[in-house]
Every structure is written in structure tokens, then in C-alpha cells.
Amino acid sequence: ENEASFVIGFTVTDGDGDKADGNLTLLIDDDTPTVLPTYDSVMTNNYRIISDDDTARDVTGNQGGNGDSGEWHKTGNLVGAFSAGADGGTVAWNAVNSSNESGDLTPGITFEIDPNTGSLSMFQQQGTEKVQIVEITMEDTTTGQYTYTQINNLLHVNDGQNTENDAKFLLGFTVTDGDGDKADGKLQLIIDDDTPTVVPYETNTMRIISDDDTVAGLNGNSGYGNNPSDGA
């Protein structure tokens, strides 16, 4: 917070008109934006988005799987996570300060800013294809109101337990005040995995019924048995 210095002049005049000039120095300290410290072991920033592969827009997930978080948030705001201060200001997403906190458990992650909309997107390299996983748009650059959309599923490395394990990311944002001072903050994103499901055998009516009568290459006697499935 740099200081601006000003000199204020004044003149003293006595009873018979003699004068003397003097100066008064005025120092005005700048104000700078602030953000809550990054979410870490000291939980001072509890702003987060909880998402789930089950509800990704362009895929059909299995809701209610093993370890399913059951949580999904699409909209929110950063009110309280930052203050632009006396100078006023705006907030915008920052791809450079975004990171993959799960490391090798969710490989191939990159972040990009759309130069036209300012939206932050997270991508994952899935085989030979670069897949857009998330798009988060800043709807109000003053309050930090945003819209979050999980577009595709995130590939989590199997934890060995076949559970819907969580992947964690930090989404960077930058607050810029009215005279250009900046402060960087982060919003945590948690994406819950999706797992396959099967219908229990007791309630699964799908069956394969076969008969020796119809074995390929043999001359079976279809229709001569007592079983109603004879010849199937």
C-alpha cells in the first residue's frame, strides 16, 4: 500500500499585515484488495464447489453408486472470499493460479481462459482426446457470482477399492482494484467419481436358456423332451 504525498501551503498574517508562508505535508496511504487465504490444513477459506460425475451434462451417470457423494452445486458467488477495498474493483478467473491437487490420481489436467468470455475451463487428456470437463463463468465481476457446469466425466484413477473417490482442484481468481492493485485467491473444486452398477442376481430377470438339442453341428432332437424350454 504505497503512499501519495502532498504539500498543503498556508499563510500566516499578523495584525499589521506581515506575512509568513508555511507548508503542511499530507500523506494518503493506498488501499489494496484482500482475499481469504487458500484452502489448506488451516481451513480459513471454506468456499468450494462440490460436483459429481453422475450429473455431468453430456453423459449418463449412475446416481447412488458405491461411495456416491450425492452433492451437486451449479451456482454460487465469492462474496466474503475477497474484498476489493476502498478503490472498488473486479474479480476474474485466473488459469495460471489454478491447479490439480489430486496429482497422479487425475492425470492430464489443464486450465484455460476463454479470451472472449473470461470463462475458466478445465480439460483432461483422455487417451488421444482433450476433453472439456468443467466450465465456470463469472456472471458478475463485482460480487463474484458464477455459474458452474460439469460438462463431461472426469477420469479418476481407481483407488483399489472401487469407490467413488473425490478429486480436488483449486480454481484461481484475481481481484483487481480501481487503481490496478491485485490480489490472488482460490476456490476449491471437488469432483466425485462415478462407478458402474449391476442389478442384483435375485432381481435380475435376464437369463440365457440353452439346449443340447440345438448345439451347432449336432443332430439334436428338438421338441422331444418334457422341459418347456426344449429346443431353445
Side-chain angles (χ1 to χ4, degrees):
E1 296 191 354
N2 53 306
E3 291 182 339
S5 178
F6 306 89
V7 176
I8 300 173
F10 62 87
T11 299
V12 180
T13 305
D14 68 9
D16 59 5
D18 298 319
K19 298 179 183 293
D21 293 327
N23 296 308
L24 171 67
T25 300
L26 170 63
L27 300 177
I28 299 180
D29 187 54
D30 191 16
D31 189 26
T32 55
T34 59
V35 297
L36 288 178
T38 301
Y39 179 93
D40 54 21
S41 57
V42 180
M43 196 169 115
T44 54
N45 178 351
N46 59 5
Y47 287 80
R48 60 184 57 80
I49 298 169
I50 301 175
S51 188
D52 200 316
D53 281 347
D54 299 358
T55 53
R57 188 188 69 189
D58 293 351
V59 298
T60 301
N62 295 321
Q63 297 190 37
N66 182 14
D68 197 343
S69 73
E71 298 170 296
W72 164 251
H73 297 292
K74 190 176 179 181
T75 62
N77 63 70
L78 297 173
V79 173
F82 74 92
S83 172
D87 298 325
T90 58
V91 60
W93 298 116
N94 186 325
V96 174
N97 287 341
S98 300
S99 60
N100 174 11
E101 298 300 291
S102 295
D104 293 339
L105 294 178
T106 49
I109 298 296
T110 55
F111 298 90
E112 296 180 11
I113 296 291
D114 185 312
N116 297 315
T117 65
S119 297
L120 174 65
S121 291
M122 184 176 78
F123 296 86
Q124 184 181 42
Q125 193 68 33
Q126 298 182 357
T128 59
E129 186 178 1
K130 182 181 178 181
V131 178
Q132 185 179 14
I133 306 299
V134 160
E135 180 181 52
I136 180 167
T137 303
M138 194 71 75
E139 304 291 352
D140 188 327
T141 59
T142 302
T143 65
Q145 181 181 347
Y146 60 81
T147 298
Y148 169 88
T149 305
Q150 183 174 349
I151 298 169
N152 285 293
N153 65 298
L154 176 73
L155 293 183
H156 302 62
V157 172
N158 193 335
D159 61 1
Q161 304 298 318
N162 292 317
T163 59
E164 299 199 347
N165 51 310
D166 291 339
K168 297 180 180 181
F169 309 91
L170 292 176
L171 308 178
F173 61 87
T174 298
V175 182
T176 305
D177 73 5
D179 59 11
D181 299 316
K182 298 180 183 295
D184 292 326
K186 294 180 180 180
L187 169 70
Q188 187 183 51
L189 168 63
I190 301 173
I191 299 181
D192 185 58
D193 193 14
D194 190 24
T195 52
T197 60
V198 295
V199 177
Y201 174 77
E202 292 76 14
T203 57
N204 182 351
T205 60
M206 292 182 288
R207 302 285 185 270
I208 297 174
I209 302 175
S210 187
D211 196 317
D212 283 348
D213 298 356
T214 56
V215 176
L218 300 179
N219 295 317
N221 296 315
S222 300
Y224 289 94
N226 293 324
N227 192 308
S229 296
D230 190 55

PDB file of all heavy atoms in Angstrom, residues 39 98-103 106 167-170 186 188:
ATOM      1  N   TYR A  39      -7.467 -22.450   0.720  1.00  0.00           N
ATOM      2  CA  TYR A  39      -7.915 -23.614   1.479  1.00  0.00           C
ATOM      3  C   TYR A  39      -6.726 -24.550   1.710  1.00  0.00           C
ATOM      4  O   TYR A  39      -6.053 -24.970   0.786  1.00  0.00           O
ATOM      5  CB  TYR A  39      -8.999 -24.343   0.674  1.00  0.00           C
ATOM      6  CG  TYR A  39      -9.529 -25.597   1.336  1.00  0.00           C
ATOM      7  CD1 TYR A  39     -10.655 -25.555   2.139  1.00  0.00           C
ATOM      8  CD2 TYR A  39      -8.894 -26.812   1.142  1.00  0.00           C
ATOM      9  CE1 TYR A  39     -11.142 -26.694   2.730  1.00  0.00           C
ATOM     10  CE2 TYR A  39      -9.378 -27.965   1.740  1.00  0.00           C
ATOM     11  CZ  TYR A  39     -10.504 -27.895   2.524  1.00  0.00           C
ATOM     12  OH  TYR A  39     -10.986 -29.033   3.110  1.00  0.00           O
ATOM     13  N   SER A  98      -4.596 -21.781 -11.166  1.00  0.00           N
ATOM     14  CA  SER A  98      -5.426 -22.959 -10.949  1.00  0.00           C
ATOM     15  C   SER A  98      -4.540 -24.199 -10.943  1.00  0.00           C
ATOM     16  O   SER A  98      -3.514 -24.240 -11.622  1.00  0.00           O
ATOM     17  CB  SER A  98      -6.491 -23.081 -12.045  1.00  0.00           C
ATOM     18  OG  SER A  98      -7.333 -21.936 -12.054  1.00  0.00           O
ATOM     19  N   SER A  99      -4.931 -25.200 -10.165  1.00  0.00           N
ATOM     20  CA  SER A  99      -4.045 -26.365 -10.026  1.00  0.00           C
ATOM     21  C   SER A  99      -4.822 -27.642  -9.743  1.00  0.00           C
ATOM     22  O   SER A  99      -5.962 -27.617  -9.276  1.00  0.00           O
ATOM     23  CB  SER A  99      -3.027 -26.120  -8.905  1.00  0.00           C
ATOM     24  OG  SER A  99      -3.688 -25.894  -7.670  1.00  0.00           O
ATOM     25  N   ASN A 100      -4.161 -28.764 -10.036  1.00  0.00           N
ATOM     26  CA  ASN A 100      -4.684 -30.103  -9.785  1.00  0.00           C
ATOM     27  C   ASN A 100      -4.104 -30.598  -8.472  1.00  0.00           C
ATOM     28  O   ASN A 100      -2.920 -30.933  -8.390  1.00  0.00           O
ATOM     29  CB  ASN A 100      -4.292 -31.025 -10.941  1.00  0.00           C
ATOM     30  CG  ASN A 100      -4.673 -32.472 -10.705  1.00  0.00           C
ATOM     31  OD1 ASN A 100      -5.412 -32.787  -9.779  1.00  0.00           O
ATOM     32  ND2 ASN A 100      -4.164 -33.365 -11.545  1.00  0.00           N
ATOM     33  N   GLU A 101      -4.932 -30.642  -7.425  1.00  0.00           N
ATOM     34  CA  GLU A 101      -4.452 -31.042  -6.105  1.00  0.00           C
ATOM     35  C   GLU A 101      -4.419 -32.558  -5.923  1.00  0.00           C
ATOM     36  O   GLU A 101      -3.892 -33.037  -4.923  1.00  0.00           O
ATOM     37  CB  GLU A 101      -5.334 -30.417  -5.018  1.00  0.00           C
ATOM     38  CG  GLU A 101      -5.311 -28.897  -5.004  1.00  0.00           C
ATOM     39  CD  GLU A 101      -3.913 -28.346  -4.761  1.00  0.00           C
ATOM     40  OE1 GLU A 101      -3.406 -28.512  -3.639  1.00  0.00           O
ATOM     41  OE2 GLU A 101      -3.343 -27.757  -5.698  1.00  0.00           O
ATOM     42  N   SER A 102      -4.986 -33.307  -6.880  1.00  0.00           N
ATOM     43  CA  SER A 102      -5.006 -34.766  -6.767  1.00  0.00           C
ATOM     44  C   SER A 102      -3.853 -35.433  -7.494  1.00  0.00           C
ATOM     45  O   SER A 102      -3.687 -36.654  -7.420  1.00  0.00           O
ATOM     46  CB  SER A 102      -6.343 -35.315  -7.293  1.00  0.00           C
ATOM     47  OG  SER A 102      -7.404 -34.878  -6.474  1.00  0.00           O
ATOM     48  N   GLY A 103      -3.076 -34.648  -8.224  1.00  0.00           N
ATOM     49  CA  GLY A 103      -1.871 -35.174  -8.861  1.00  0.00           C
ATOM     50  C   GLY A 103      -2.135 -36.338  -9.798  1.00  0.00           C
ATOM     51  O   GLY A 103      -2.988 -36.266 -10.684  1.00  0.00           O
ATOM     52  N   THR A 106      -5.626 -37.933 -10.936  1.00  0.00           N
ATOM     53  CA  THR A 106      -6.397 -37.368 -12.045  1.00  0.00           C
ATOM     54  C   THR A 106      -5.408 -36.752 -13.032  1.00  0.00           C
ATOM     55  O   THR A 106      -5.240 -35.528 -13.063  1.00  0.00           O
ATOM     56  CB  THR A 106      -7.409 -36.312 -11.557  1.00  0.00           C
ATOM     57  OG1 THR A 106      -6.735 -35.384 -10.688  1.00  0.00           O
ATOM     58  CG2 THR A 106      -8.558 -36.956 -10.815  1.00  0.00           C
ATOM     59  N   ALA A 167     -11.803 -36.144  -6.390  1.00  0.00           N
ATOM     60  CA  ALA A 167     -10.645 -35.435  -6.936  1.00  0.00           C
ATOM     61  C   ALA A 167     -10.767 -33.972  -6.545  1.00  0.00           C
ATOM     62  O   ALA A 167     -11.870 -33.412  -6.544  1.00  0.00           O
ATOM     63  CB  ALA A 167     -10.588 -35.582  -8.450  1.00  0.00           C
ATOM     64  N   LYS A 168      -9.629 -33.339  -6.215  1.00  0.00           N
ATOM     65  CA  LYS A 168      -9.665 -31.962  -5.717  1.00  0.00           C
ATOM     66  C   LYS A 168      -8.808 -31.052  -6.591  1.00  0.00           C
ATOM     67  O   LYS A 168      -7.712 -31.417  -7.001  1.00  0.00           O
ATOM     68  CB  LYS A 168      -9.183 -31.917  -4.266  1.00  0.00           C
ATOM     69  CG  LYS A 168     -10.093 -32.700  -3.321  1.00  0.00           C
ATOM     70  CD  LYS A 168      -9.599 -32.634  -1.882  1.00  0.00           C
ATOM     71  CE  LYS A 168     -10.534 -33.423  -0.964  1.00  0.00           C
ATOM     72  NZ  LYS A 168     -10.115 -33.366   0.453  1.00  0.00           N
ATOM     73  N   PHE A 169      -9.338 -29.860  -6.824  1.00  0.00           N
ATOM     74  CA  PHE A 169      -8.670 -28.858  -7.653  1.00  0.00           C
ATOM     75  C   PHE A 169      -8.820 -27.492  -6.991  1.00  0.00           C
ATOM     76  O   PHE A 169      -9.725 -27.272  -6.186  1.00  0.00           O
ATOM     77  CB  PHE A 169      -9.292 -28.823  -9.054  1.00  0.00           C
ATOM     78  CG  PHE A 169      -9.384 -30.169  -9.701  1.00  0.00           C
ATOM     79  CD1 PHE A 169     -10.519 -30.948  -9.544  1.00  0.00           C
ATOM     80  CD2 PHE A 169      -8.339 -30.666 -10.450  1.00  0.00           C
ATOM     81  CE1 PHE A 169     -10.611 -32.206 -10.112  1.00  0.00           C
ATOM     82  CE2 PHE A 169      -8.413 -31.921 -11.040  1.00  0.00           C
ATOM     83  CZ  PHE A 169      -9.550 -32.693 -10.866  1.00  0.00           C
ATOM     84  N   LEU A 170      -7.921 -26.569  -7.338  1.00  0.00           N
ATOM     85  CA  LEU A 170      -8.028 -25.189  -6.902  1.00  0.00           C
ATOM     86  C   LEU A 170      -8.207 -24.314  -8.133  1.00  0.00           C
ATOM     87  O   LEU A 170      -7.404 -24.365  -9.066  1.00  0.00           O
ATOM     88  CB  LEU A 170      -6.781 -24.763  -6.115  1.00  0.00           C
ATOM     89  CG  LEU A 170      -6.606 -25.432  -4.748  1.00  0.00           C
ATOM     90  CD1 LEU A 170      -5.285 -24.998  -4.109  1.00  0.00           C
ATOM     91  CD2 LEU A 170      -7.770 -25.111  -3.818  1.00  0.00           C
ATOM     92  N   LYS A 186      -8.179 -18.391  -4.382  1.00  0.00           N
ATOM     93  CA  LYS A 186      -8.503 -19.695  -4.955  1.00  0.00           C
ATOM     94  C   LYS A 186      -9.814 -20.227  -4.387  1.00  0.00           C
ATOM     95  O   LYS A 186     -10.149 -19.983  -3.229  1.00  0.00           O
ATOM     96  CB  LYS A 186      -7.363 -20.688  -4.705  1.00  0.00           C
ATOM     97  CG  LYS A 186      -6.081 -20.303  -5.434  1.00  0.00           C
ATOM     98  CD  LYS A 186      -4.952 -21.278  -5.203  1.00  0.00           C
ATOM     99  CE  LYS A 186      -3.691 -20.839  -5.948  1.00  0.00           C
ATOM    100  NZ  LYS A 186      -2.569 -21.771  -5.744  1.00  0.00           N
ATOM    101  N   GLN A 188     -11.940 -23.900  -4.077  1.00  0.00           N
ATOM    102  CA  GLN A 188     -11.733 -25.338  -4.202  1.00  0.00           C
ATOM    103  C   GLN A 188     -12.867 -25.991  -4.980  1.00  0.00           C
ATOM    104  O   GLN A 188     -14.036 -25.644  -4.822  1.00  0.00           O
ATOM    105  CB  GLN A 188     -11.620 -25.996  -2.828  1.00  0.00           C
ATOM    106  CG  GLN A 188     -11.228 -27.471  -2.938  1.00  0.00           C
ATOM    107  CD  GLN A 188     -11.183 -28.172  -1.602  1.00  0.00           C
ATOM    108  OE1 GLN A 188     -12.128 -28.094  -0.834  1.00  0.00           O
ATOM    109  NE2 GLN A 188     -10.091 -28.844  -1.317  1.00  0.00           N
TER     110      GLN A 188
END
